[in-house]
Amino acid sequence: VNALAMLPLGGTDGGRLSLSIFGRYGHTIIGAGVWFSVLIASFTMERVDVLIGAWLINNIVQNDMEIPCRDEVSDVSLPRVLTAFTLWFITVLAIVPLS
């Protein structure tokens, strides 16, 4: 369940990472792609009740206005960007079963 919070969606932890790395426009594009992927996966894969629940919670409960970042001008350093991509990769490995 904690891995779902790392998906780059809305106001989740992964969404904040996405917003800081890609900016508002890039975050919107990536978030839409992830939403579409979660929606497709929830109807095509077996045992994905958690994905449907996370999708509903993020759409209904966390659908409030976004709090703007304090500093949207400075670039994010390369080690932090690599850390974010590593965390997203681990999230995908945790959510998608290997068998």
Side-chain angles (χ1 to χ4, degrees):
V1 173
N2 288 333
L4 296 173
M6 284 305 297
L7 290 174
L9 303 171
T12 62
D13 295 336
R16 294 290 179 183
L17 286 172
S18 173
L19 181 64
S20 65
I21 293 172
F22 302 113
R24 291 190 183 273
Y25 181 73
H27 169 67
T28 304
I29 299 298
I30 290 175
V34 171
W35 278 125
F36 185 70
S37 300
V38 168
L39 183 64
I40 295 298
S42 28
F43 291 112
T44 59
M45 295 174 56
E46 295 180 17
R47 293 187 275 170
V48 289
D49 298 337
V50 174
L51 288 179
I52 295 171
W55 189 77
L56 288 173
I57 287 172
N58 279 317
N59 273 331
I60 296 171
V61 176
Q62 295 181 348
N63 198 15
D64 54 347
M65 294 297 292
E66 180 185 339
I67 300 170
C69 295
R70 185 181 331 169
D71 182 15
E72 292 187 14
V73 177
S74 300
D75 290 334
V76 180
S77 63
L78 183 62
R80 290 183 180 204
V81 171
L82 293 176
T83 302
F85 278 101
T86 303
L87 289 172
W88 286 329
F89 179 72
I90 292 170
T91 298
V92 169
L93 289 179
I95 292 175
V96 177
L98 295 176
S99 59

